[in-house]
Each structure stands twice: as structure tokens, then as C-alpha cells.
Amino acid sequence: MSRAAIPGLPSRYPIGGQLPALYADDDFAQRFTAGLDTVLAPVFSTLDNLPAYLDPRVAPVDFLVWLASWVGAADDPQWPEERRREAVARAVELHRWRGTRRGLVEALRLALGVDAEVTGDGGAVWSSTAASGLPPEPPAEVLVRVRAAGAVDVDRVHEIVRAMSPVHTAFRVEVLAAPPSEEGT
């Protein structure tokens, strides 16, 4: 990421115009401060536009990598720009849902553009009745069904499920073809 001088960028705050009247007609002082204006104009421009740099929807593309690192977002340079922007914008929300069905489904949709269904609870069991006996043990496996219209990188699905699931959870992934859309009905 580099913010360099932009040729011809005028300064919103020219130093020569702010000098005392003694220097207003001094050619050397005006040329010297004009050189400083050229150097400082990109700095002032960046500071004036700082909110735009911090908004992933409008930040420069090269700045997204830095924003992604701030919020711990996944940032794959091969993703389309809009998907990268959405990943950064929704990072905090996805962190909040990490380890849940909803978080896993949203992470798969965001990263791969697929629909997913998660069944099973990873072996967690409970009873809503106080002092009752233990319920029977549930299957200790989570099943993740991924529906995609095209080819899906199964290794990438496993990687995302592993990253978004609690560490003790065993899982199985099934990749299914998406049902045909009902266009024209």
C-alpha cells in the first residue's frame, strides 16, 4: 500500500496564502511554500478522506488488505472485489457467530458463494428437566451439506468448516448439486 504524491494535486491549505504580509510578495517564500504544498497535498487529502479509507465499501482496493488485518477478516486476493469488501464489512458479525451453525453457513456463503445446511450438534447433550437422568448420547458428528451450482473446492470447504467449528467437533462434508432454479414460473 502506497500513498504517493499525485501530480497536480492542489493543496486545500496553501501555506503561501497563510504567511504574514511581509512574505506575500516574496517570490522565494512563495516558491518554497509551493514546494511544501506539493509534498503535503496528498497527506491532507488522505486525512480529509480518512472516513472513506476506513469504510470497506469505498476504501481503495489496496487498503482492503490492511483493513482485513485489523478486523481479522479472510481476504483472498482471488475473490472478486465485492466479495472482499463484504468479508471485511461483515468480519465482526462473523466473529460473533463463530462456532455456531449460523456462523458456519454464513462463512461458507461468503467465502465460496454456496448454500449450506448444518445438522447435528457435535455431541452436545442437555436436559431441560432438573434432576432428570442423562439423555441418550447423540451422534458426535456434525454433517455439513453444501449445495453448489458449479464445482466446489472440497478442500477449501473442509478448511472453512475446520476454522469455524469448535476444535473438539468432528464433522463430515457432503457436496451436492444445487436444485435447478425455477425461472419463468
Side-chain angles (χ1 to χ4, degrees), residues 3-20:
R3 300 285 166 248
I6 301 170
L9 181 67
S11 176
R12 290 185 56 188
Y13 312 101
I15 299 171
Q18 299 176 27
L19 293 175

Side-chain angles (χ1 to χ4, degrees), residues 43-58:
V43 174
F44 290 141
S45 177
T46 300
L47 291 174
D48 288 345
N49 295 299
L50 191 59
Y53 280 90
L54 300 177
D55 184 346
R57 295 170 297 200
V58 295

Side-chain angles (χ1 to χ4, degrees), residues 20-155:
L22 172 68
Y23 298 108
D25 292 330
D26 185 341
D27 184 52
F28 174 75
Q30 292 300 316
R31 285 185 292 124
F32 180 74
T33 57
L36 293 174
D37 288 339
T38 301
V39 172
L40 293 175
V43 174
F44 290 141
S45 177
T46 300
L47 291 174
D48 288 345
N49 295 299
L50 191 59
Y53 280 90
L54 300 177
D55 184 346
R57 295 170 297 200
V58 295
V61 177
D62 63 328
F63 207 77
L64 279 177
V65 176
W66 200 31
L67 285 178
S69 72
W70 282 7
V71 294
D75 182 48
D76 187 341
Q78 297 185 357
W79 287 352
E81 181 181 326
E82 288 307 311
R83 185 180 292 174
R84 293 176 68 195
R85 290 182 184 283
E86 184 179 358
V88 174
R90 296 193 56 210
V92 173
E93 175 190 354
L94 287 176
H95 289 313
R96 185 178 310 128
W97 291 107
R98 189 176 187 131
T100 66
R101 287 183 176 136
R102 178 178 176 179
L104 181 55
V105 168
E106 287 297 312
L108 287 167
R109 187 196 63 72
L110 182 62
L112 302 174
V114 297
D115 291 325
E117 175 187 332
V118 180
T119 57
D121 53 22
V125 64
W126 62 90
S127 173
S128 59
T129 307
S132 66
L134 290 175
E137 283 197 32
E141 181 179 75
V142 172
L143 174 61
V144 180
R145 286 192 178 102
V146 175
R147 299 187 195 296
V152 175
D153 182 358
V154 178
D155 292 334

